[in-house]
Amino acid sequence: MTEHELKQKSIAYRKTILTIINQCGAGHTGGSLSCVDILNVLYNAVMNVSPANFDDPNRDRYIQSKGHSVEALYTVLADRGFFPTSGLDTLNTYQSHFIGHPTRKIPGIEQNTGALGHGLPLAVGIALSAKLDERPYRVFTLLGDGELTEGSNWEASMTAAHYQLDNLIVIVDRNTLQITGPTEDVVALEPLASKFEAFGYAVRSCDGNDVGELQRTLSDVPFAPGKPSLLVANTVKGKGVSFIENQVGWHHHVPTADELTQALGELDRAQQLLKVG
Amino acid sequence: MTYHYIRPEVIANLSADDPFAGLKAQATRHAYAEAIIELAEENPNVVVLDADVSKSIKTNQFAEKFPERSFNFGIAEQNMMAAAAGMATTGLIPYVSTYAVFASMRALDQLRNSIHYPGLNVKVAASHSGITPGPDGVTHQAQEDLSLLRAVANSTVIAGADSVTTKMAVKAAADWEGPVYLSFTRDPVPLIYTDDFPYQIGKAVTVRDGDDVTIVALRDLVMHALIAAERLAAEGISARVIDCHTLKPLDEETILQAARETGGVVTAENNVIFGGLGSAVAELLVENHPIPMERIGVRDTFAESGPYMDLIHKYGLTYPHIMDAVKQVLARKTPVTA
């Protein structure tokens, strides 16, 4: 998929995310908008996984540790054909499987997540299995930056380095905001990249909302032989809509009808600019 | 025949001054360590995860035999438990070995959310359950693990009485689809059973016949229940003993039938009285067949450091306490009028 096509998809995904969150009256707007370019690139340009090969033991695995940004995941999986887009209309409604955190009941989802700090150790377990079974698949996991204070991430990081899991790719959605404020005010994470280096990762960073940069970086894994890869994806929380970007309150603020109209208008203009460009 | 599947030397000793003397005994954690090697030889999907207690549990023997299928996570139980979940998604059958305090409490979040919620095929091998780790003190005495695991949806909770049935449980767990929690003793307990014990997860076994009262016991207190029953017989009291090796799913049929036939129940567990075997049986009886009942278990207290037998005696878990509880139940039973 070309960079231009990926950009078009990102805008379309943002429109879907905002629309379904508005429809169901609940969701995590800011985090879904910050990570959706990463999901776009993973599912459309990097990972060997599709509805056709989801039963293949050699498929690449994706574990979304920041389970609350599930609207972005549902949107991308629907677009990839794992289930009809109409399923998203039932988001968070009574008896729908499309609930506020991922579960295996949804086609395309490998594991229930949402308890923060679980995704990385889960991914380490899958990566160990791949090594034991001598299978070629890679394991990608997306972590929020806010959840990095969970100690289990650092336990799992030591394990990943110890077992030389170069089939493990950890992506941190570094949007620098969490629910109660900037990560550096809550409990400072920086210097983050050097912490991960010290734990044994081959670390890179890139603009996590630039699909071209993401595609180039994530196509180059492992970043070093014999080491787990870690990408600090520098993102903007709420990316793509002017009044949502970098606003702590939009962590799980639901767009009102007026806000949705304004946001979709901004995204329409971005789409037109992309066509012209 | 009064006793079923009990070794003759055990029966012969039940009324002796020291009913444990001379009996072959083994910590059930070590029975697990032996069984998992036999299981792994038959089942290539079995892997063992350790958190730096493999010398204690003796799963280091598995690691020597199957180095590629053994994973040491260091002292990091939360990571180990979630990694086991990840492994299970690929078709492996992880046996997660650690102490019960860590399996059931430190890693309970991972157990609940990443294993039981998706129903993954992870087996937890938890040693030092109950207050069997006497000398280690409270930090290593998991007196609540059975209660905690029983409260989690999709859970299967097993507490074998001896090495014979523990080995059977370790193997049966591999064929049981979904999470299984296996609890083991730190200290040696007598080998009670013969090899023809009809082991089936979820199926309690009547190991002694009796008509006046039923003692439902699990893990290390089954032996005490048998001793109590034998000594009560000398006083003219006929006590049935049920080995309820699977706490969950509870064998309601066997327990209710015994309740109806004997009219009184005593439960015995080396676990707190809140939420474990006593609670499970009490819930069953209250809803179906309310009769006099007493519970043997750790009361609302922590224990301390001390020899295993001394400790369980101090905290009211040994056969004299079971005998007293039986007599209290009998005193409360409504006399049957002809």
Side-chain angles (χ1 to χ4, degrees):
Chain A
M1 192 167 288
T2 66
E3 189 173 333
H4 188 76
E5 288 168 321
L6 288 170
K7 282 182 180 169
Q8 286 177 320
K9 279 201 179 290
S10 275
I11 296 173
Y13 289 158
R14 288 194 159 85
K15 289 169 124 178
T16 305
I17 290 167
L18 289 160
T19 304
I20 61 176
I21 292 177
N22 166 265
Q23 261 175 19
C24 79
H28 288 80
T29 309
S32 284
L33 293 178
S34 76
C35 73
V36 72
D37 301 299
I38 298 164
L39 287 169
N40 179 8
V41 168
L42 284 176
Y43 275 97
N44 291 303
V46 173
M47 292 197 299
N48 170 34
V49 63
S50 68
N53 80 348
F54 198 67
D55 292 330
D56 183 347
N58 289 331
R59 72 188 180 281
D60 286 336
R61 306 301 205 279
Y62 173 72
I63 298 289
Q64 183 161 313
S65 191
K66 49 174 298 183
H68 54 280
S69 294
V70 73
E71 295 86 11
L73 179 59
Y74 290 159
T75 297
V76 174
L77 290 178
D79 181 56
R80 285 291 277 120
F82 281 95
F83 47 82
T85 310
S86 59
L88 300 180
D89 295 341
T90 69
L91 177 65
N92 283 342
T93 58
Y94 179 53
Q95 292 190 324
S96 170
H97 289 321
F98 291 91
I99 63 171
H101 293 91
T103 76
R104 286 154 64 89
K105 290 186 174 161
I106 303 294
I109 292 181
E110 300 279 358
Q111 164 67 339
N112 302 13
T113 53
L116 295 176
H118 285 215
L120 183 49
L122 283 164
V124 163
I126 300 172
L128 284 168
S129 295
K131 294 280 185 190
L132 175 63
D133 294 338
E134 296 179 340
R135 292 192 180 278
Y137 63 85
R138 293 93 46 91
V139 190
F140 295 81
T141 184
L142 177 68
L143 275 54
D145 51 0
E147 69 171 305
L148 292 177
T149 37
E150 290 281 9
S152 52
N153 289 310
W154 303 96
E155 295 180 7
S157 294
M158 283 188 272
T159 308
H162 178 80
Y163 285 100
Q164 304 181 336
L165 298 180
D166 54 7
N167 54 350
L168 173 70
I169 299 97
V170 184
I171 304 164
V172 176
D173 179 11
R174 182 74 173 117
N175 61 35
T176 72
L177 296 180
Q178 60 192 101
I179 194 163
T180 55
T183 58
E184 299 316 284
D185 292 351
V186 177
V187 168
L189 298 174
E190 295 296 341
L192 189 56
S194 52
K195 280 179 184 157
F196 284 123
E197 275 162 14
F199 272 73
Y201 289 98
V203 180
R204 290 195 195 171
S205 58
C206 78
D207 181 338
N209 294 124
D210 181 327
V211 289
E213 230 183 278
L214 281 167
Q215 187 179 6
R216 285 187 290 279
T217 311
L218 288 170
S219 300
D220 196 28
V221 294
F223 298 151
K227 284 186 168 190
S229 303
L230 189 134
L231 176 62
V232 178
N234 293 304
T235 58
V236 172
K237 197 158 182 175
K239 176 72 179 181
V241 181
S242 61
F243 58 93
I244 303 179
E245 288 188 359
N246 285 318
Q247 299 299 313
V248 168
W250 273 90
H251 177 83
H252 51 22
H253 179 74
V254 174
T256 62
D258 285 349
E259 287 166 339
L260 179 65
T261 305
Q262 197 185 333
L264 293 180
E266 285 189 21
L267 291 164
D268 281 340
R269 283 193 290 282
Q271 248 167 346
Q272 282 158 8
L273 281 173
L274 197 59
K275 275 183 194 159
V276 176
Chain B
M1 201 158 81
T2 308
Y3 289 96
H4 306 285
Y5 318 113
I6 312 280
R7 295 177 178 232
E9 69 271 23
V10 172
I11 297 171
N13 238 25
L14 288 173
S15 53
D17 285 345
D18 180 356
F20 293 89
L23 295 181
K24 195 175 170 193
Q26 185 184 34
T28 61
R29 60 179 157 147
H30 296 148
Y32 156 67
E34 291 172 13
I36 195 70
I37 291 175
E38 293 165 22
L39 179 64
E41 280 164 352
E42 299 158 13
N43 190 331
N45 290 325
V46 167
V47 294
V48 172
L49 282 60
D50 280 301
D52 207 36
V53 290
S54 60
K55 277 189 186 171
S56 158
I57 299 178
K58 292 195 180 170
T59 39
N60 55 354
Q61 293 167 358
F62 177 95
E64 279 169 29
K65 188 131 190 177
F66 300 101
E68 73 290 353
R69 289 159 71 182
S70 166
F71 300 90
N72 193 345
F73 285 78
I75 305 166
E77 293 83 8
Q78 300 175 67
N79 173 37
M80 173 171 66
M81 201 64 83
M87 288 177 165
T89 67
T90 74
L92 295 176
I93 307 176
Y95 279 67
V96 183
S97 307
T98 182
Y99 291 166
V101 276
F102 309 127
S104 70
M105 286 173 262
R106 185 175 305 224
L108 182 58
D109 174 29
Q110 285 76 12
L111 255 183
R112 177 189 185 269
N113 288 310
S114 280
I115 293 173
H116 287 80
Y117 174 32
L120 289 172
N121 201 21
V122 173
K123 317 303 168 186
V124 178
S127 181
H128 293 44
S129 202
I131 53 174
T132 72
D136 293 333
V138 173
T139 53
H140 287 60
Q141 293 164 347
Q143 58 185 16
E144 318 86 341
D145 65 330
L146 301 180
S147 311
L148 293 165
L149 265 294
R150 179 172 168 258
V152 177
N154 283 341
S155 68
T156 295
V157 185
I158 293 176
D162 74 344
S163 282
V164 177
T165 48
T166 293
K167 286 182 176 179
M168 291 173 178
V170 169
K171 292 180 180 176
D175 296 326
W176 180 271
E177 187 61 32
V180 178
Y181 182 89
L182 299 149
S183 88
F184 309 128
T185 66
R186 170 197 177 275
D187 282 84
V189 291
L191 273 65
I192 301 173
Y193 296 118
T194 49
D195 291 336
D196 60 345
F197 188 95
Y199 194 87
Q200 202 183 327
I201 291 175
K203 189 76 194 132
V205 178
T206 302
V207 295
R208 186 189 195 281
D209 296 329
D211 303 320
D212 299 332
V213 67
T214 301
I215 307 169
V216 184
L218 53 69
R219 210 177 48 227
D220 48 323
L221 295 202
V222 174
M223 181 66 184
H224 287 271
L226 289 167
I227 299 166
E230 179 74 11
R231 288 165 193 238
L232 287 164
E235 299 179 31
I237 297 167
S238 166
R240 186 177 303 190
V241 177
I242 293 177
D243 181 338
C244 191
H245 53 73
T246 307
L247 171 58
K248 186 183 170 189
L250 190 70
D251 184 351
E252 299 186 350
E253 195 184 332
T254 299
I255 294 170
L256 271 180
Q257 187 185 339
R260 289 195 177 100
E261 290 172 1
T262 63
V265 170
V266 170
T267 57
E269 63 193 308
N270 180 347
N271 184 77
V272 289
I273 54 165
F274 312 108
L277 178 66
S279 299
V281 172
E283 290 157 15
L284 179 72
L285 295 183
V286 163
E287 288 178 348
N288 294 279
H289 187 68
I291 51 172
M293 177 183 168
E294 291 287 328
R295 293 172 297 155
I296 294 292
V298 180
R299 300 279 145 176
D300 193 9
T301 182
F302 288 112
E304 69 262 31
S305 177
Y308 161 60
M309 276 296 187
D310 292 348
L311 271 192
I312 63 169
H313 189 67
K314 174 174 176 183
Y315 289 96
L317 310 182
T318 49
Y319 60 86
H321 302 101
I322 296 175
M323 292 171 70
D324 288 347
V326 162
K327 288 171 189 170
Q328 285 176 46
V329 163
L330 292 179
R332 285 164 48 209
K333 269 175 72 171
T334 313
V336 179
T337 46

